[in-house]
Amino acid sequence: MDFSTVDRALTSLSRRHPPLPAEVLDLSSHLLDFLSSPDGLSENTVYARGILRLVELGSDSSSGGSNNDSGIITNGDTKVRWEPLAVGLRLVVDYLEKRTGELPKRSRGSGSDEDEDEGTGLGTGGGGVYADGPRIPKIAQLDVENKEAAAKKHSEPKVETSFPPNAKSPVFELMMALPAIVNAHVEHAEPRVRSLVAQTVGVYALYATSLLNWLGSEEESSSGENSNDEKKQLEKAVQNAQVGRREIHGAVLLSLKSHLEMKEPSREDNPGAASDGALDDTTGWRALETNLQALASYVDGCVGRSGTEGYRGGSYIAEEIRLFGSSSSNDGGDEYGWFLSGLQHCCVVHVNRHVRAASTASLGVLVKACMRSSDSSHRDLLVEGDSSFRSVLKEALRANLEDNWSQVRMAGSVLCRRFVLALLKIHSNSESDDDDEDDEEESTVFESATEDLVPMLLPRMCLNRFYLAQGVKLYSQETWKLVFGAHGPDELHSSEETKGGGGMGAVARNAAPLCRYYSKMCDADNHAVREAACQGVAELAQKVGTHPVYKEYISPFVTMLLQALLMCFHDESWPVRDEACLACGTFCLAYADECVPELPTLFERWTEQMTDQIWSVREDAAVALGDAITAYGPDMLEKVLAEVRKGVPAARDNPSMSRQEYKRLQNDAEAHTGNQVYSCGSLAPKLNKKAGAGRIGCMSCLVDRPKAPWEATDGCIYLLRELCVRFANRDESDREDVVVSDTILLPLMTELADVCRLSHYPQSDDLRTTLWRQLPPMAEALGKRRFKGLYLDLFIELLGKNLDDRYGTGASQLSIHAAGQCAEEIANLIGVGIFRGRLEGTGTGQENAFDGVMEERRREQIMSAANGKFGREIFQSPFGPPIA
């Protein structure tokens, strides 16, 4: 079934197998004809009744049938299919949305509170509830031209046209029938039907409350177009619609309450929290998820500003204040205490991730409803410390901003933004009304507005800027910029013009809860959380640790953070080890004295990582050792050089194996039968657990094969690059007292060239690939004259032989491409003619191969210039800068 558009939904009925009844197919054909008709459908009674008949054909309302677990309604020997019901509801959603669009814009409740709704969702009146897929994060300045066009279009004068209904409009006949339909199918066995019921609830509430706003507007009140009798009939029809709206809300609440009373097990009582239990944590949980979506859609659709009787009603908070346990409600009592407690249970402890995400979305639209209300006391539900609603929001954010499922974490991030921006708006309004200017200790507006929530919110907001899931990461970075005004994607931001020092000042003043949270998350069950925590710790050292004012705020917690990072060195996930390695090097640069007690342990861990099975871990270990040399000077340099002298010749000890033997081993079915089964897209064993803690997630990236000797040599190549780039030039060295002279470097490079000539093991090609990728930055750091005089002849023969595979060495395309790139960059550095002359002197006959490489690069440059000249469209990636 295709529900993307109404015509596709109707067309898909004819493709169902087994075929649907002839009446259904004929009716869908007639409805399609109406859609293609040039006449409007607003006042088409036949079309509205056709929708109702289609819904009836898919339900048991007239036959008294029963609904079984398969979603097929049975009535004796007759089976009523669910497809007509689903398509009928889709038509209802489309019809009511169009009728809402025909009302004056101001009556639809559009305002500043809609600006943050960048998600999608049918029947929600602005996209505030996402139920049909992941929310698309808002990317600032992604397409400047489109923004300029939109701004130009917005500046043009608009002539608003509206077509409000009359008392005899067919829309009221449809609305009279919908409450019974919703009540009958809110717990339908087919989840697609339940989802469409939720959307129907949203558009019904939106249209009904928009009618109230329209009738209450001054234009309508002062107009004399309708007679008094017609106006009274219209008022009666609108009031009947409000009765139906409240009936729908009652049906949704009743179903929601019954599901909450089923006492589904919580995650704490469920071994499935570690993804290995029998309880279902993947599909929807009965009708609870769709009930929550229906509630959220209803709340989002109630666009009225107040709850008074008459034409200015329609505010959800005002009408249902008893649900929030407010002191202003005299009839609430404990009768409605289940509402907030049930939402908190669904957000925090429910076993199903879809339920947690849906309940979080419901809280988000409730926050929006508080801000939408014209009664300022309703906003106190968000601000007052003893507010039950604020307490539920706090616990929901505490749990969902660190949920292991990215879907739930994304929903929590959306709720966090909406709640925080609401608090900032309330604080701004109250601050402008307050004439007292008592300047207490300077703090950011965020800290003043959120008060006791800061120790809980700030650490989670910081960490989610580094979370592995791109949607959560980008959305959290955008939220940070909205709150603190940062000018980069992940900057803490400190500015003299920003009150309290911006985000960096807030982080520094709340260093204690932030550092404790980072340390805790370094031992989280989810590998993506541990990786993000390591990146967050590195950011503290890199940005706060180098700030002249805020550096001292982090100093008392350096030991605690280092201990957390040292624990991550032993992590089963190599990305975590990688980030921990870099973070420790950054800490040594920022807090050299504080790191001295842990330096022996750190050095041991870094040298272990230099021989890791993952190349990026080896490279970042080399970067961390370079940071250590910068921090601790000549003594550290001597230790590092000793490791390099030991590691460079290690590849000589690699066991001999031909390429044929290596391929035979890889393709041996018996060698791979009965071994550990791994998760999709990773090297993580399924259901893997670390000793003492249940580790979850599908990408723990565990690698447990023995380390190979050649990997130590490979790590030393990266370390030699760091020595050349940072310390080989006296004028540009990171430290004046640390210079790597040619007497130190030349023997090491000579040994490296000799070791890379070995080919008695199949991975020797990978080692040479690393060499060709790292040699150009080494040559540039050493300088043209120095490299050409002492080091070029060490590598040029081996480089020439690797430009193609004419010698039958079995060189891979990766190494051939890396060799060609290396030859081009070095030739451009020292001169193409000089490089070619040196290559001729080797006697390898590879001059033609070098000429081919340079010609290929020239063609690539010509093509690139042509693309830019003719304005070829550049691909825009939502996950990074444009790719040219």
Side-chain angles (χ1 to χ4, degrees), residues 218-251:
E218 294 182 2
E219 293 82 0
E220 177 61 18
S221 299
S222 60
S223 65
E225 297 177 359
N226 298 326
S227 64
N228 290 333
D229 291 340
E230 291 178 347
K231 185 174 182 180
K232 289 180 180 179
Q233 292 177 1
L234 180 59
E235 292 173 356
K236 183 178 179 180
V238 172
Q239 291 302 323
N240 289 336
Q242 307 312 313
V243 174
R245 175 173 65 88
R246 300 299 295 271
E247 289 178 0
I248 287 176
H249 180 251

Side-chain angles (χ1 to χ4, degrees), residues 494-735:
S494 176
S495 172
E496 296 294 336
E497 301 176 359
T498 306
K499 181 181 178 182
M504 187 176 296
V507 166
R509 284 185 293 274
N510 295 276
L514 182 67
C515 292
R516 285 194 294 268
Y517 184 74
Y518 277 172
S519 299
K520 179 183 177 181
M521 292 300 104
C522 284
D523 193 33
D525 289 342
N526 192 333
H527 73 97
V529 176
R530 301 196 298 274
E531 182 181 351
C534 291
Q535 294 176 3
V537 171
E539 183 193 44
L540 288 179
Q542 183 180 7
K543 295 177 180 177
V544 183
T546 57
H547 195 277
V549 176
Y550 299 125
K551 178 178 180 178
E552 298 304 320
Y553 285 82
I554 306 296
S555 296
F557 308 101
V558 170
T559 302
M560 177 179 64
L561 293 173
L562 278 179
Q563 291 296 328
L565 293 175
L566 286 171
M567 176 179 57
C568 290
F569 270 100
H570 299 285
D571 201 280
E572 64 266 36
S573 176
W574 65 261
V576 178
R577 300 198 303 271
D578 198 349
E579 295 297 339
C581 187
L582 279 175
C584 287
T586 307
F587 255 97
C588 287
L589 284 175
Y591 298 96
D593 295 337
E594 290 87 341
C595 293
V596 168
E598 302 293 342
L599 193 57
T601 305
L602 286 172
F603 186 79
E604 181 181 353
R605 298 292 176 266
W606 285 326
T607 53
E608 287 176 358
Q609 301 286 64
M610 284 283 297
T611 62
D612 196 88
Q613 299 94 329
I614 306 299
W615 70 267
S616 62
V617 177
R618 298 194 291 268
E619 180 179 18
D620 288 336
V623 173
L625 284 170
D627 291 339
I629 295 173
T630 303
Y632 299 107
D635 293 339
M636 180 58 67
L637 175 63
E638 292 302 322
K639 293 181 180 181
V640 171
L641 289 175
E643 293 296 325
V644 175
R645 295 187 181 101
K646 182 175 65 175
V648 168
R652 300 181 186 274
D653 300 329
N654 222 78
S656 299
M657 179 182 291
S658 66
R659 294 185 180 274
Q660 292 75 17
E661 292 175 334
Y662 185 63
K663 289 183 178 180
R664 193 181 306 117
L665 178 62
Q666 288 180 318
N667 298 324
D668 187 0
E670 294 183 0
H672 302 288
T673 301
N675 289 343
Q676 172 70 60
V677 180
Y678 292 88
S679 297
C680 58
S682 73
L683 297 176
K686 287 185 177 179
L687 309 182
N688 173 62
K689 287 187 176 182
K690 184 178 179 180
R695 296 299 198 193
I696 64 177
C698 67
M699 294 185 65
S700 296
C701 307
L702 177 65
V703 177
D704 59 355
R705 66 167 177 81
K707 296 180 179 180
W710 72 271
E711 290 166 340
T713 304
D714 188 86
C716 287
I717 295 176
Y718 295 113
L719 191 50
L720 285 171
R721 179 201 66 190
E722 292 298 310
L723 293 176
C724 291
V725 171
R726 295 188 178 203
F727 310 108
N729 193 325
R730 182 179 297 276
D731 296 333
E732 300 178 0
S733 176
D734 286 3
R735 281 184 66 112

Side-chain angles (χ1 to χ4, degrees), residues 474-494:
L474 295 175
Y475 193 88
S476 299
Q477 291 172 358
E478 187 72 17
T479 298
W480 189 270
K481 289 190 286 184
L482 290 173
V483 173
F484 293 108
H487 301 297
D490 59 349
E491 293 181 2
L492 288 177
H493 182 56
S494 176

Side-chain angles (χ1 to χ4, degrees), residues 409-517:
R409 194 177 287 249
M410 183 70 216
S413 300
V414 174
L415 174 60
C416 177
R417 176 188 291 189
R418 177 164 288 161
F419 184 38
V420 170
L421 292 183
L423 293 178
L424 292 178
K425 184 176 181 179
I426 295 172
H427 177 76
S428 176
N429 293 337
S430 63
E431 194 176 53
S432 62
D433 296 337
D434 191 1
D435 296 332
D436 295 334
E437 297 182 357
D438 296 333
D439 290 332
E440 300 176 358
E441 182 182 356
E442 188 177 19
S443 61
T444 61
V445 179
F446 168 78
E447 293 172 278
S448 301
T450 54
E451 298 177 342
D452 61 306
L453 300 176
V454 175
M456 182 275 293
L457 278 179
L458 188 66
R460 290 161 175 80
M461 292 174 62
C462 282
L463 186 138
N464 283 335
R465 294 176 300 121
F466 300 100
Y467 192 67
L468 184 64
Q470 288 291 324
V472 175
K473 178 192 296 184
L474 295 175
Y475 193 88
S476 299
Q477 291 172 358
E478 187 72 17
T479 298
W480 189 270
K481 289 190 286 184
L482 290 173
V483 173
F484 293 108
H487 301 297
D490 59 349
E491 293 181 2
L492 288 177
H493 182 56
S494 176
S495 172
E496 296 294 336
E497 301 176 359
T498 306
K499 181 181 178 182
M504 187 176 296
V507 166
R509 284 185 293 274
N510 295 276
L514 182 67
C515 292
R516 285 194 294 268
Y517 184 74

